[in-house]
Amino acid sequence: MNELTIFSPATIANISCGFDVLGLALDTVGDEMTIRKVSQKGVRITKIIGQNLPKETHKNVAGVAALALLAEIESNFGFEIEIDKRIKPGSGIGSSAASSAGAVWAINELLGKPFNPLDLVRFAMEGERLASGVAHADNVAPALFGGFTLVRSYEPLDIIKINTPSELFATVIHPQIEIKTSDARNILKTTVPLKDAIKQWGNVGGLISGLYTNDYELIGRSLEDYIIEPIRSILIPAFDKVKEESINTGALGCGISGSGPSIFALSKGKEIATKVAETMKLVYDKVGIEYDIHVSKVNTKGIKILEIK
Ligand code: ADP
């Protein structure tokens, strides 16, 4: 095996109540990448299609994550990376994470799997550090583990894969406006009132419990964010309207995907998730903002192999 073509999924981080710790992987939207083992040592990004992104290894998250992996192993090979970029950078659905996670996952396969998934998260986080200045794991973890993931602890790194109820679907709308991840972080307060913290950790516990017991109503009740959403939602036009109408249409809950501007909703079944997509579209059609929209089952596998050579 010298070459792998993979699908590396888009991801929704935070999932309302779990800022920086919860995430989930999507099935219908993601990057395609080809990673090739070559005799020339080092890492080269040989092709990027779909988006205008840097090809220099140190400036591309895929290159940085790959170098972090290779720094921990003696390898007689080098690697070439081609990226078919289908997730727009800055969308809030883990564009950088898909490239970082995909690169390290495929290199690990080509090397005969010397590293475990937790190591791969650690390497991919270096790509996230390049993209946003913070080595967060809430997008790369679900891309690498699949399904829902919880970053229980950053030091030491402890990641738990959470059960995914089989009928859970996500709807994601990406209004075509730009929010810088750094701005979305800078406006946050650094302290939390105890009464809000109590509500928030109640919801994290409720969401995890609902995911394990397939209790869709409990999942819905727990999809509330008292800490980040009230501040960040100000940056997203018509956020409150999208949320209200999505829930009226039958979504279990609705919130900001990652640092935005994408908005996600979770629903029981594809039919409701598709209706929620129509509702979200109507809101932005009225406001006059263009968008991309995705309906996807939660992807429990994470990264998938498309072709082996
Ligand atoms: P997202 O939240 O969708 O991942 P970010 O804004 O966090 O988007 O990350 C995108 C940033 O990372 C951009 O500045 C982009 O230029 C940079 N970047 C570097 N390499 C890549 C890559 N392979 N894929 C996506 N973004 C990349």
Side-chain angles (χ1 to χ4, degrees):
M1 176 164 86
N2 284 315
E3 183 179 312
L4 278 181
T5 299
I6 57 164
F7 166 84
S8 189
T11 45
I12 297 174
N14 302 341
I15 322 181
S16 294
C17 52
F19 180 63
D20 271 2
V21 298
L22 288 176
L24 67 83
L26 297 172
D27 218 13
T28 56
V29 49
D31 290 350
E32 284 190 18
M33 302 173 75
T34 296
I35 290 84
R36 194 173 301 115
K37 197 159 83 177
V38 291
S39 54
Q40 191 187 349
K41 287 192 178 183
V43 177
R44 279 162 301 280
I45 317 279
T46 49
K47 189 171 163 190
I48 302 177
I49 56 172
Q51 294 289 328
N52 190 13
L53 287 166
K55 268 191 175 175
E56 295 95 322
T57 307
H58 285 92
K59 290 188 185 163
N60 194 297
V61 298
V64 168
L67 289 174
L69 181 154
L70 290 174
E72 290 196 17
I73 193 166
E74 279 286 321
S75 168
N76 294 324
F77 311 102
F79 295 89
E80 289 179 357
I81 302 175
E82 296 178 7
I83 309 173
D84 181 352
K85 196 77 211 163
R86 305 195 175 181
I87 314 169
K88 288 185 185 159
S91 53
I93 51 170
S95 176
S96 49
S99 287
S100 307
V104 297
W105 188 88
I107 290 176
N108 191 47
E109 294 287 312
L110 292 168
L111 288 173
K113 293 198 198 178
F115 295 108
N116 65 34
L118 198 62
D119 291 325
L120 298 183
V121 169
R122 206 159 40 79
F123 303 138
M125 284 167 71
E126 293 308 314
E128 293 294 72
R129 194 193 300 280
L130 173 72
S132 69
V134 182
H136 59 100
D138 49 348
N139 288 105
V140 293
L144 287 160
F145 282 69
F148 281 81
T149 52
L150 168 72
V151 186
R152 193 207 56 82
S153 154
Y154 273 90
E155 283 180 24
L157 193 60
D158 185 4
I159 289 169
I160 295 140
K161 181 168 176 171
I162 311 290
N163 181 62
T164 302
S166 60
E167 290 178 84
L168 212 49
F169 278 76
T171 311
V172 184
I173 190 154
H174 174 206
Q176 308 291 293
I177 55 162
E178 192 191 343
I179 298 179
K180 292 214 171 78
T181 306
S182 53
D183 290 346
R185 276 195 179 260
N186 288 340
I187 60 164
L188 299 179
K189 296 190 181 118
T190 51
T191 56
V192 175
L194 185 59
K195 66 173 185 15
D196 291 342
I198 292 168
K199 290 193 266 185
Q200 196 86 353
W201 59 54
N203 279 334
V204 174
L207 178 56
I208 303 284
S209 175
L211 290 169
Y212 273 107
T213 55
N214 302 309
D215 184 339
Y216 292 90
E217 290 198 352
L218 175 56
I219 292 168
R221 290 204 299 285
S222 307
L223 287 172
E224 277 299 339
D225 174 4
Y226 294 96
I227 296 172
I228 309 295
E229 185 180 295
I231 301 170
R232 274 197 179 160
S233 57
I234 296 161
L235 301 174
I236 306 172
F239 173 81
D240 291 341
K241 190 81 183 149
V242 171
K243 178 167 178 165
E244 186 191 332
E245 305 256 315
S246 297
I247 290 170
N248 287 344
T249 307
L252 301 165
C254 179
I256 303 170
S257 178
S259 56
S262 288
I263 304 172
F264 80 96
L266 292 183
S267 301
K268 184 181 180 187
K270 192 173 183 181
E271 204 182 321
I272 298 176
T274 306
K275 278 190 192 149
V276 169
E278 293 308 315
T279 300
M280 288 178 166
K281 283 190 207 170
L282 273 180
V283 175
Y284 276 116
D285 284 341
K286 277 191 196 146
V287 178
I289 294 178
E290 307 226 319
Y291 51 76
D292 290 334
I293 190 137
H294 313 284
V295 175
S296 173
K297 203 166 197 255
V298 177
N299 162 7
T300 55
K301 296 270 183 312
I303 294 166
K304 296 175 192 173
I305 295 177
L306 301 176
E307 201 182 341
I308 305 177
K309 277 191 192 159

